[in-house]
Amino acid sequence: MTQEKALISIIGKPSQYKQTSYKFQGNQGTYYLSSQMLDQEINPNYRILIAGMSLLDDVKNFNCKDYETCSNLVKDYLKENSNVDHNVGPFARTASKIIVTPNVFGNKYTQSKPGLDLYFNYVYKQVLDYLLSLDNVSEVHLDVTHGINYMPVLGKDAITLALSVYSILKNKEVNFSVYNSDPYVKDAVLNINVIERYTLDVRRSISNIVSPFFNQNIENLISPSKVIDGGQCWYKPKLIMRVATALASGNFIYLATKDIRDALECVENSISTINLKMSNNLIEYYPSHKRQLVNVHALCKVANDVFYRGNGIALKDLEDLAKKYSLNETIEILIRNEINLIKRVEGSIPEDPKLLDIIMGGDGLKKCNANKRNLFAHGGFERKVTYLWKSNDEIYVSYRDCLDNVENQLR
Amino acid sequence: MTQEKALISIIGKPSQYKQTSYKFQGNQGTYYLSSQMLDQEINPNYRILIAGMSLLDDVKNFNCKDYETCSNLVKDYLKENSNVDHNVGPFARTASKIIVTPNVFGNKYTQSKPGLDLYFNYVYKQVLDYLLSLDNVSEVHLDVTHGINYMPVLGKDAITLALSVYSILKNKEVNFSVYNSDPYVKDAVLNINVIERYTLDVRRSISNIVSPFFNQNIENLISPSKVIDGGQCWYKPKLIMRVATALASGNFIYLATKDIRDALECVENSISTINLKMSNNLIEYYPSHKRQLVNVHALCKVANDVFYRGNGIALKDLEDLAKKYSLNETIEILIRNEINLIKRVEGSIPEDPKLLDIIMGGDGLKKCNANKRNLFAHGGFERKVTYLWKSNDEIYVSYRDCLDNVENQLR
């Protein structure tokens, strides 16, 4: 399988860029954009340019009324072959994707509700959608040199989260490098520095996705009824917290049978909806939506990938889920241990679902009465809530009528 | 206990700041520095100002030869009561800590080895040392509005890591907020935006500290012999990886008895050493040290906090460690389950150390022959390597002569 590379460049105001001598890995070159130097050295398969809607000020054409038309004006401007106005043309024209973000700029480009969340959310969603349309990207290079103000901080964090989802859904390790050149000083040769470089594997990605939910305050922030201005849908914040707990604790029996497609669709629609109002060349983006919705989206996207679309899950498939999605080695080992124990009593598993407690010789009297500690310590295989059965020589597992009881422990 | 607040401001070049109208939480005010507006609203107990050595250009006095003397020139400049040159005086004069970073600036302020690692490392170490000298800080507000170039990205990440160590060592939850104002536009009222806000609890902090080590490539980057130019000491990269694995998997029996003070001292000395060479008003910082050393420092700082300074650890103290330092609930539960099992056989535990396998009725023939899966699944209580004994009515635990065998599994 080909291993492909993507180079992402975050830019602010290209009309201010000057010819600059850059140095990278011993080589030197003169460019307007540090990303062009990286382009030469890295030779990426895909170039992604992340600019801002506020470049309409430089386009000097405000003849647009909706987000797409306005962003097309910015895209055309960036691709123009003009050295007078700006100099990102060579990069923009070869870019496979140009993202025009709803960036806030003073009182001229604002959010309907003050904040900078839309920049974060838009970068996350656009980068994720684009990466998911590709299959073989295993190296991502991000140049934040030319980002201004909040762009490098929010852009890097948004892209890290998008890469986390990508690495899980594609089951790929991604080598992630972040660059920033030395600050501009006239006539100086500026080094392009690696400011961060690591391999984002599936475990670290799962950790990135569940960490924001280890937080007592987040439950109030993920409720779309309050948060999504103009949102047309709703999901229970408690459901999201349960899914996060299940993913963090390796309860794949729950995740495999829990259909969260409605919540995913709701949050996906919400963070994808972006409009603008234009009046007197002032732009207001709406609706605003909180940054936490992006964390919900990342979580639901992964949970939906675990979802199995059946009444129960085959033990061998559960083993694969544990191998792929466990937050750490301990959790993977716990689940494999339980599966091995069950295989030893395979002869006692009937074709009709039977409670694990009874299979193991218990009386089954405490059915649907899960002990939280056992639920966590046994990778979800709590004897009093877990049913097993055989079908076509496969062992299946599910919580069936004990699902509500399990959900109450996932907090 | 008083809950105290700290406000941290990252600044670039204050001589360029203009009087600006800021809005925050419904209030409005005119300041040169957004952090002054936050200061009014938050009313912090401590103010920390993070500036750069390159401000010597504005001091216009290069009459210094060592890092401390040069940084004192910058500190004095920042505290001056002058509205001509710059306007951070009011904030600087009330700051309880001013940090003058070894920032790279074009070809005038450089690292001995190209890169921006020193900024990251210095911010981490200085903020951590200062916070550790305080006891009751539970709210940290970081304003990155005035940082330029790489400062906001690297500063925020360095401070997040420092806060993670602080929250673990002080066993405190820290409410962390990051601010960035709208970008400057003449005559506009700029909103000061919360760009990130969450509670950093001990679990999330442990996750921040161990995550960088879930990475196949890091082992090559934490070896000080190659990395620390001018380093006078050494530790085994393998030791660091084992400590990280032990912390991530909750092996507190190992951590409680493993003395890593030499490694901590070595990495602490390394990242604390910073000098400069001045010639023709050009400054070179040396030695350079890789950013990964900071991750080693954070890990060793925590591991040293777990270290118990005895031949073994009392079971009740191990329970406390599990409660305090477990990466997640599953690991805490696993350890508590093992401790409960052991308490049930308390009568069979002698005063001289005895292998758990024998106490549990095994033959002890596979002594010091740990099964990795069991080691992880039982929170470190692998029967074939774990010794128990009683002293003054307490049960103690240790790996004793099986320590080498355990270490070989921690990878």
Side-chain angles (χ1 to χ4, degrees):
Chain A
M1 197 165 60
T2 341
Q3 299 298 315
E4 297 183 323
K5 303 176 200 172
L7 170 60
I8 307 177
S9 182
I10 293 180
I11 62 166
K13 202 169 170 61
S15 58
Q16 295 178 339
Y17 301 165
K18 299 178 185 70
Q19 287 243 36
T20 306
S21 288
Y22 288 109
K23 203 162 69 181
F24 181 66
Q25 290 177 347
N27 294 326
Q28 202 168 316
T30 302
Y31 300 96
Y32 285 92
L33 200 66
S34 54
S35 311
Q36 276 179 273
M37 175 88 200
L38 289 170
D39 195 348
Q40 291 294 318
E41 301 294 317
I42 291 165
N43 195 18
N45 304 78
Y46 308 100
R47 291 168 196 83
I48 305 172
L49 182 61
I50 302 181
M53 187 65 86
S54 70
L55 286 177
L56 281 178
D57 275 13
D58 294 313
V59 178
K60 297 187 182 75
N61 171 3
F62 290 85
N63 191 16
C64 59
K65 282 184 176 164
D66 61 84
Y67 201 89
E68 200 189 336
T69 320
C70 291
S71 60
N72 283 337
L73 290 177
V74 173
K75 287 180 192 174
D76 290 344
Y77 163 79
L78 290 169
K79 287 189 277 190
E80 266 169 31
N81 188 11
S82 147
N83 278 322
V84 180
D85 272 356
H86 71 85
N87 307 279
V88 296
F91 193 88
R93 284 192 296 277
T94 56
S96 47
K97 175 85 180 168
I98 299 180
I99 297 170
V100 181
T101 60
N103 68 316
V104 165
F105 189 56
N107 54 352
K108 301 171 77 178
Y109 297 82
T110 56
Q111 289 190 185
S112 56
K113 193 175 153 193
L116 301 169
D117 305 299
L118 287 178
Y119 183 83
F120 182 87
N121 294 9
Y122 199 79
V123 169
Y124 161 81
K125 188 61 171 44
Q126 293 286 314
V127 169
L128 177 60
D129 285 351
Y130 182 63
L131 285 175
L132 289 178
S133 75
L134 310 172
D135 280 318
N136 300 319
V137 173
S138 61
E139 259 185 48
V140 173
H141 302 266
L142 169 64
D143 183 14
V144 298
T145 301
H146 294 279
I148 45 174
N149 207 276
Y150 53 84
M151 289 174 175
V153 167
L154 292 182
K156 179 177 89 90
D157 286 355
I159 289 166
T160 302
L161 190 62
L163 288 181
S164 302
V165 177
Y166 170 83
S167 92
I168 296 168
L169 266 56
K170 299 283 184 179
N171 202 9
K172 276 189 98 66
E173 290 193 349
V174 179
N175 292 309
F176 184 39
S177 302
V178 186
Y179 305 89
N180 202 119
S181 85
D182 294 344
Y184 179 78
V185 171
K186 200 168 177 296
D187 297 332
V189 179
L190 307 184
N191 192 57
I192 300 180
N193 307 292
V194 177
I195 61 169
E196 205 169 356
R197 172 171 284 168
Y198 59 89
T199 304
L200 192 61
D201 61 9
V202 173
R203 282 203 177 135
R204 188 158 178 176
S205 297
I206 298 268
S207 175
N208 287 344
I209 282 165
V210 297
S211 285
F213 296 93
F214 298 162
N215 204 312
Q216 59 210 8
N217 301 319
I218 197 174
E219 193 165 337
N220 302 321
L221 301 170
I222 55 177
S223 158
S225 60
K226 291 179 199 165
V227 174
I228 309 172
D229 310 330
Q232 300 295 315
C233 58
W234 195 74
Y235 48 80
K236 280 189 194 162
K238 219 178 260 313
L239 166 69
I240 305 303
M241 298 305 285
R242 282 171 179 158
V243 168
T245 306
L247 186 57
S249 64
N251 194 326
F252 300 112
I253 305 175
Y254 175 76
L255 292 173
T257 54
K258 188 71 192 175
D259 188 348
I260 49 87
R261 280 176 291 182
D262 285 351
L264 173 59
E265 198 181 321
C266 174
V267 73
E268 173 124 359
N269 284 341
S270 301
I271 64 169
S272 304
T273 308
I274 177 79
N275 302 300
L276 57 78
K277 277 179 221 154
M278 164 93 73
S279 66
N280 300 323
N281 297 356
L282 298 180
I283 282 183
E284 183 187 288
Y285 312 112
Y286 72 94
S288 302
H289 23 72
K290 282 222 169 60
R291 179 174 166 169
Q292 285 79 5
L293 290 186
V294 159
N295 295 114
V296 175
H297 183 267
L299 177 69
C300 287
K301 203 79 181 155
V302 172
N304 189 51
D305 197 44
V306 180
F307 180 54
Y308 190 74
R309 291 173 180 77
N311 291 325
I313 176 165
L315 224 49
K316 69 171 172 44
D317 294 325
L318 193 78
E319 201 164 358
D320 289 343
L321 292 181
K323 199 172 153 67
K324 181 172 170 192
Y325 296 103
S326 287
L327 177 63
N328 56 43
E329 201 169 353
T330 302
I331 285 170
E332 185 188 338
I333 287 172
L334 288 179
I335 296 169
R336 281 166 54 201
N337 282 352
E338 295 299 321
I339 290 175
N340 286 343
L341 279 175
I342 287 169
K343 282 181 181 164
R344 275 187 234 156
V345 296
E346 191 171 350
S348 324
I349 300 172
E351 291 197 356
D352 286 327
K354 195 171 184 178
L355 201 66
L356 179 56
D357 187 45
I358 298 175
I359 293 170
M360 290 299 192
D363 55 21
L365 290 177
K366 290 200 168 176
K367 181 168 91 86
C368 295
N369 205 342
N371 171 293
K372 186 183 177 184
R373 232 202 248 194
N374 286 336
L375 192 71
F376 278 65
H378 295 277
F381 286 87
E382 216 282 3
R383 290 162 66 148
K384 298 189 288 300
V385 292
T386 306
Y387 288 88
L388 297 172
W389 67 95
K390 260 195 197 157
S391 174
N392 297 324
D393 260 358
E394 290 290 342
I395 303 170
Y396 284 80
V397 57
S398 164
Y399 292 135
R400 295 173 55 88
D401 59 327
C402 298
L403 184 66
D404 286 353
N405 180 254
V406 171
E407 287 198 315
N408 288 333
Q409 313 296 326
L410 292 173
R411 52 165 199 272
Chain B
M1 196 165 60
T2 341
Q3 298 298 315
E4 297 184 322
K5 303 175 200 172
L7 170 60
I8 307 178
S9 181
I10 293 180
I11 62 166
K13 201 169 170 62
S15 58
Q16 295 178 339
Y17 301 164
K18 299 179 185 69
Q19 287 243 36
T20 305
S21 288
Y22 288 109
K23 203 161 70 180
F24 181 66
Q25 290 177 347
N27 294 326
Q28 202 169 316
T30 301
Y31 300 96
Y32 285 93
L33 200 66
S34 54
S35 311
Q36 276 179 273
M37 175 89 199
L38 289 170
D39 195 349
Q40 291 294 317
E41 301 294 317
I42 291 165
N43 195 18
N45 304 79
Y46 308 100
R47 291 168 196 84
I48 305 172
L49 182 62
I50 303 181
M53 187 65 87
S54 70
L55 286 177
L56 280 178
D57 275 13
D58 294 313
V59 178
K60 297 186 182 75
N61 171 3
F62 290 84
N63 191 16
C64 59
K65 282 184 176 164
D66 61 85
Y67 201 88
E68 200 189 336
T69 319
C70 291
S71 60
N72 283 337
L73 290 176
V74 173
K75 286 180 193 175
D76 290 344
Y77 163 79
L78 290 169
K79 286 189 276 190
E80 266 169 31
N81 188 10
S82 147
N83 278 321
V84 180
D85 272 356
H86 71 85
N87 307 278
V88 296
F91 193 88
R93 283 192 297 277
T94 57
S96 47
K97 175 84 180 169
I98 299 179
I99 297 170
V100 181
T101 60
N103 67 315
V104 165
F105 189 56
N107 54 352
K108 301 171 77 178
Y109 297 82
T110 56
Q111 289 190 185
S112 56
K113 193 175 153 193
L116 301 169
D117 305 299
L118 287 179
Y119 183 83
F120 182 87
N121 294 9
Y122 199 79
V123 170
Y124 161 82
K125 187 61 170 45
Q126 292 286 315
V127 169
L128 177 61
D129 285 351
Y130 183 64
L131 285 175
L132 288 179
S133 75
L134 310 172
D135 280 318
N136 300 318
V137 173
S138 61
E139 259 184 49
V140 173
H141 302 266
L142 169 64
D143 183 14
V144 299
T145 301
H146 293 279
I148 45 175
N149 207 275
Y150 52 84
M151 289 175 175
V153 167
L154 292 182
K156 179 177 89 89
D157 286 355
I159 289 166
T160 301
L161 191 62
L163 288 181
S164 301
V165 177
Y166 171 82
S167 92
I168 296 168
L169 266 56
K170 299 283 184 178
N171 202 10
K172 277 188 98 66
E173 290 193 348
V174 179
N175 293 308
F176 184 39
S177 302
V178 186
Y179 305 89
N180 202 118
S181 85
D182 294 344
Y184 179 78
V185 171
K186 200 168 178 296
D187 296 332
V189 179
L190 307 184
N191 192 56
I192 300 180
N193 307 291
V194 177
I195 60 168
E196 204 168 356
R197 172 170 283 168
Y198 59 90
T199 304
L200 192 61
D201 61 9
V202 173
R203 281 201 179 138
R204 188 157 177 177
S205 297
I206 298 267
S207 175
N208 287 343
I209 283 165
V210 297
S211 285
F213 296 92
F214 298 162
N215 204 312
Q216 59 210 8
N217 301 319
I218 197 174
E219 193 164 336
N220 302 322
L221 301 170
I222 55 176
S223 158
S225 61
K226 291 179 199 164
V227 174
I228 309 172
D229 310 330
Q232 300 295 314
C233 58
W234 195 74
Y235 48 80
K236 280 189 194 162
K238 218 177 259 313
L239 166 68
I240 305 303
M241 298 304 285
R242 282 171 180 159
V243 168
T245 306
L247 186 58
S249 64
N251 194 327
F252 300 112
I253 305 175
Y254 175 75
L255 292 173
T257 54
K258 188 71 192 177
D259 188 347
I260 49 86
R261 280 176 292 182
D262 285 351
L264 173 59
E265 198 182 320
C266 174
V267 73
E268 173 125 359
N269 283 342
S270 301
I271 64 170
S272 304
T273 308
I274 177 79
N275 302 300
L276 57 77
K277 277 179 218 152
M278 164 93 74
S279 66
N280 300 323
N281 297 356
L282 298 180
I283 282 183
E284 183 187 288
Y285 312 112
Y286 72 94
S288 302
H289 23 73
K290 281 223 169 59
R291 180 174 166 169
Q292 285 80 4
L293 290 186
V294 159
N295 295 115
V296 175
H297 183 266
L299 176 70
C300 287
K301 203 78 181 156
V302 172
N304 189 52
D305 197 44
V306 180
F307 180 54
Y308 190 74
R309 291 172 180 78
N311 290 325
I313 176 165
L315 224 49
K316 68 171 172 47
D317 294 325
L318 193 78
E319 202 164 358
D320 289 343
L321 292 181
K323 199 172 154 66
K324 181 172 171 193
Y325 296 103
S326 287
L327 178 63
N328 56 42
E329 201 169 352
T330 302
I331 285 170
E332 186 188 338
I333 287 172
L334 288 179
I335 296 169
R336 281 165 54 201
N337 282 353
E338 294 299 320
I339 290 175
N340 287 343
L341 279 175
I342 287 168
K343 282 181 181 164
R344 276 188 233 155
V345 296
E346 190 171 350
S348 325
I349 300 172
E351 291 197 357
D352 286 327
K354 195 171 184 178
L355 201 65
L356 179 56
D357 187 46
I358 298 175
I359 293 170
M360 290 298 191
D363 55 21
L365 290 177
K366 290 200 168 177
K367 181 168 90 86
C368 295
N369 205 342
N371 172 293
K372 186 183 177 183
R373 233 203 247 194
N374 287 336
L375 192 71
F376 278 65
H378 295 277
F381 286 87
E382 216 282 3
R383 290 162 65 149
K384 299 188 288 301
V385 292
T386 306
Y387 288 88
L388 297 172
W389 67 95
K390 258 195 198 158
S391 174
N392 296 325
D393 259 357
E394 291 290 342
I395 303 170
Y396 284 80
V397 56
S398 164
Y399 292 135
R400 295 172 55 88
D401 59 327
C402 298
L403 184 67
D404 286 354
N405 180 255
V406 170
E407 287 198 315
N408 288 333
Q409 314 296 325
L410 292 174
R411 51 163 199 272

